[in-house]
Amino acid sequence: MSVDQSDITKVALLARLKIDEADVPQYVENLSNILGLVEQMGEVDTDNVVPMAHPLDAAQRLRADEVTETDQRDAFQGLAPQVESGLYLVPKVIE
Amino acid sequence: MHTKTITQLSAALRSGEVSSVELTSLFLDRIKRHNPALNCFITVTEAEALKAAAAADRRLKAGDVAPLTGVPIAHKDIFCTQGVKTTCASKMLDNFIAPYESTCTAKFAEAGAVMLGKTNMDEFAMGSSNETSYYGAVKNPWDLARVPGGSSGGSVSAVAARLAPAATGTDTGGSIRQPAALCGLTGLKPTYGRVSRFGMIAFASSLDQAGPITYSAEDAALLMNVMAGFDEHDSTSVEREVPDYTAGLDNGIEGLRIGLPKEYFDEGLDDSVARVIDAAVKQYEALGAVVREISLPNTGLAVPTYYVVAPAECSSNLSRFDGVRFGYRCDDPQDLFDLYTRSRGEGFGAEVKRRIMIGAYVLSAGYYDAYYLQAQKIRRLISDDFRAAFESVDVIMGPTSPSTAFRLGEKSDDPVTMYLSDIYTIAVNMAGLPAASIPAGFVDGLPVGLQLIGNYFEESHLLNVAHKYQQATDWHLQMPKEF
């Protein structure tokens, strides 16, 4: 399986990654090679195999619906690039 | 003093032969002297370390001691450490001061261990050579022109050069075992779920597991006694009693059934490495073990399957880095889309972007069944291979890595060649099994690692099997001359 430049552009958009135009050919080559490696999987007959999502086949543990976390908003917002009045700021979304 | 094992240091601290402040100062001095050549630390926490050492000395005086009280240790910079820069070796987190502490590092702090600093690694643990770090490549103390392995490259380089007596690492596809092998150390990847992942920055959540990097199996057991255990903050943590990992170290191994998977000794393995592994297996036979050939028929599928599962999970995990709440934000974003794409495009390095894109591709509409679902099915087949093997053997052995440490730059232009260097370690993560790498000899002055794979939750047994070998050999006590 090989990918072309339009695949790279599409997948970069899906992943929200800005890729320099000049780097696209390199990504085409690298991703095509990696998908070539992955292609070997297609030769295996897995019709009756149950997919394995978790190494121990464990079930999700549940806990009581109780508030256990304390409010640390100031500490967390101290790490943010831009905040104001307790809100995270981003460029204007709605005019 | 800097060449002693944790077991020896612990005894010296208790007897008062040395104080924790003296010991910590010694290692801090060694870091200052040698880190410029090795680049194994991203952050050295000198002031905090001396403060923790003084507190440990007070505990030692009061007789309130655990085995690691006062012992210096280095942590991979993937563990969140409250109030200390935590980067995951990425520009994305270059400004990130963790607001909370990982369970793993918290347990070490409670035991009285002294954190010397945070070690370099491949960016977000994605790499096998420690060349993808935003802070530059780490060097192998055995040959500064060679890689230490990855992704826990800083941890192994620091311990091998005796800049720290032990370190933590994490292993998603071999990131503890392969660098331990390439730097001549003992490294253990525990069973998935044995050590809490809380506060450990996620790469591939169904594969990631933290473990110890030490000189000896005995030291690894001491670290496991601190690290292992249930944690309600990690939903995949296993509720299961934690044994004393040191208790069975000296058990006899007469009659131990060792399986050698024929697929681990194929044409991909360097002849010189194969000879070292053969000699190590003969040593086990001399100790009373019984060796037989086994087959893990789906071994060849492990790398291809991993490069679907791991990137898929990574693309999902790394979506949280968006330039809004923490981490890197691009200058002067024009709109929200520009903010996301440029913050991520500029904040992540090339290998991380490659893996995010592979993950986004295999999970995208129309491809899910062919890639991700097929990979999960093959993961089952790989896991079943091990289940079948463990019906007739107690431990599986083979090489950790197909070659000794390669040269810096040798594989960094070709991702697929780099990925294939993890061919013997990846299947273990797919199955969730515990495995160790222990020093087994040298080829042209470079260390070779023997891999030991055990059944689920049999870390104690693996450490026992490793310890018996280390009682009969001294490969694990060799150290690079320049340090």
Side-chain angles (χ1 to χ4, degrees):
Chain A
M1 182 81 188
S2 64
V3 294
D4 58 25
Q5 301 215 354
S6 69
D7 292 319
I8 295 296
T9 311
K10 185 185 162 206
V11 82
L13 171 73
L14 288 173
R16 298 293 186 266
L17 285 171
K18 170 97 175 156
I19 301 295
D20 286 341
E21 275 303 313
D23 293 337
V24 171
Q26 185 74 49
Y27 280 105
V28 169
E29 188 192 330
N30 287 159
L31 265 64
S32 294
N33 288 342
I34 296 167
L35 291 169
L37 172 77
V38 163
E39 204 69 357
Q40 294 172 46
M41 290 195 325
E43 295 157 19
V44 185
D45 177 7
T46 55
D47 280 354
N48 297 310
V49 180
V50 181
M52 178 171 162
H54 185 283
L56 302 175
D57 285 329
Q60 185 69 44
R61 197 174 59 246
L62 301 176
R63 63 167 177 83
D65 185 17
E66 289 163 359
V67 177
T68 54
E69 291 298 318
T70 52
D71 180 7
Q72 299 179 67
R73 189 168 73 173
D74 291 345
F76 296 151
Q77 291 211 324
L79 294 162
Q82 217 183 344
V83 289
E84 194 180 296
S85 313
L87 303 170
Y88 293 96
L89 294 194
V90 294
K92 193 183 273 185
V93 178
I94 300 166
E95 291 298 330
Chain B
M1 194 58 78
H2 67 273
T3 61
K4 290 191 187 306
T5 63
I6 302 259
T7 313
Q8 292 164 333
L9 291 177
S10 183
L13 284 162
R14 281 157 190 253
S15 71
E17 186 189 333
V18 69
S19 73
S20 180
V21 168
E22 287 166 343
L23 202 54
T24 301
S25 303
L26 170 77
F27 283 105
L28 288 169
D29 285 347
R30 289 186 59 76
I31 292 168
K32 271 186 207 143
R33 183 141 41 104
H34 296 296
N35 192 50
L38 295 168
N39 196 29
C40 50
F41 280 88
I42 291 173
T43 303
V44 180
T45 50
E46 181 169 0
E48 294 92 333
L50 290 170
K51 204 173 144 205
D57 281 332
R58 286 193 292 277
R59 274 179 72 170
L60 284 158
K61 273 213 183 70
D64 168 27
V65 287
L68 293 190
T69 306
V71 175
I73 184 171
H75 290 308
K76 186 176 182 178
D77 205 16
I78 198 167
F79 294 101
C80 284
T81 41
Q82 190 164 15
V84 173
K85 189 162 105 159
T86 299
T87 69
C88 234
S90 181
K91 181 181 178 183
M92 182 60 84
L93 290 175
D94 184 49
N95 62 1
F96 183 66
I97 311 289
Y100 70 107
E101 187 82 17
S102 79
T103 298
C104 186
T105 50
K107 285 181 157 197
F108 278 108
E110 277 161 34
V114 175
M115 179 173 84
L116 294 166
K118 309 287 295 288
T119 58
N120 205 341
M121 54 184 281
D122 278 298
E123 185 181 3
F124 284 103
M126 297 175 201
S128 309
S129 66
N130 215 126
E131 293 172 290
T132 72
S133 168
Y134 173 63
Y135 302 94
V138 175
K139 314 291 166 40
N140 188 321
W142 293 93
D143 179 348
L144 297 177
R146 292 177 189 269
V147 305
S151 68
S152 309
S155 288
V156 293
S157 177
V159 178
R162 272 55 180 173
L163 307 190
T168 51
T170 60
D171 190 315
T172 304
S175 284
I176 287 174
R177 291 161 287 154
Q178 183 255 20
L182 270 41
C183 283
L185 297 170
T186 301
L188 173 70
K189 182 206 95 75
T191 308
Y192 180 82
R194 182 80 283 194
V195 176
S196 171
R197 294 186 298 108
F198 179 74
M200 192 176 108
I201 297 171
F203 158 17
S205 302
S206 77
L207 304 165
D208 298 341
Q209 182 64 197
I213 292 165
T214 53
Y215 306 143
S216 68
E218 189 177 21
D219 283 2
L222 287 171
L223 266 68
M224 278 299 289
N225 277 352
V226 173
M227 302 172 84
F230 173 69
D231 178 13
E232 64 177 17
H233 291 113
D234 171 3
S235 66
T236 59
S237 172
V238 176
E239 281 189 90
R240 191 184 169 107
E241 200 178 331
V242 179
D244 174 358
Y245 290 100
T246 63
L249 284 173
D250 288 310
N251 289 349
I253 57 166
E254 297 79 16
L256 176 78
R257 298 171 301 168
I258 297 174
L260 303 179
K262 63 179 188 207
E263 294 83 3
Y264 285 35
F265 295 86
D266 62 3
E267 68 277 7
L269 179 63
D270 275 9
D271 289 343
S272 52
V273 172
R275 281 193 290 276
V276 171
I277 300 302
D278 287 345
V281 171
K282 288 216 167 55
Q283 178 73 54
Y284 271 108
E285 285 183 302
L287 292 169
V290 184
V291 176
R292 71 171 67 161
E293 186 183 274
I294 59 165
S295 177
L296 301 169
N298 292 298
T299 296
L301 291 166
V303 174
T305 306
Y306 178 86
Y307 280 97
V308 173
V309 173
E313 295 185 16
C314 119
S315 72
S316 169
N317 271 325
L318 271 60
S319 63
R320 77 193 59 182
F321 301 103
D322 58 5
V324 175
R325 286 160 302 175
F326 60 94
Y328 177 80
R329 175 183 283 200
C330 65
D331 287 336
D332 194 24
Q334 299 305 299
D335 53 34
L336 192 57
F337 182 79
D338 185 47
L339 168 75
Y340 289 151
T341 57
R342 274 203 297 127
S343 296
R344 290 165 60 78
E346 295 166 13
F348 292 134
E351 179 62 18
V352 172
K353 282 189 273 198
R354 267 197 288 274
R355 296 205 195 185
I356 290 174
M357 291 214 280
I358 288 286
Y361 183 83
V362 300
L363 293 175
S364 63
Y367 293 122
Y368 181 87
D369 283 4
Y371 288 111
Y372 193 68
L373 193 65
Q374 177 73 350
Q376 285 195 313
K377 288 177 169 183
I378 296 176
R379 188 171 180 183
R380 171 84 57 195
L381 298 177
I382 291 167
S383 180
D384 286 348
D385 282 355
F386 285 109
R387 274 179 210 279
F390 281 121
E391 282 173 16
S392 62
V393 300
D394 304 311
V395 62
I396 295 171
M397 288 190 191
T400 304
S401 178
S403 67
T404 54
F406 41 93
R407 290 178 192 284
L408 288 153
E410 189 178 325
K411 297 184 181 181
S412 49
D413 291 338
D414 182 357
V416 169
T417 304
M418 184 74 86
Y419 296 171
L420 289 170
S421 67
D422 293 334
I423 190 155
Y424 305 131
T425 50
I426 275 179
V428 161
N429 299 77
M430 302 298 282
L433 292 164
S437 180
I438 59 172
F442 290 83
V443 171
D444 300 330
L446 296 170
V448 172
L450 172 72
Q451 185 173 211
L452 284 59
I453 305 169
N455 212 338
Y456 295 99
F457 299 103
E458 293 203 347
E459 290 85 358
S460 287
H461 189 225
L462 277 184
L463 291 169
N464 161 226
V465 171
H467 180 68
K468 294 305 272 190
Y469 179 81
Q470 293 182 340
Q471 295 295 98
T473 60
D474 65 358
W475 301 117
H476 64 295
L477 299 175
Q478 308 297 316
M479 54 185 82
K481 287 192 183 64
E482 289 159 54
F483 301 91

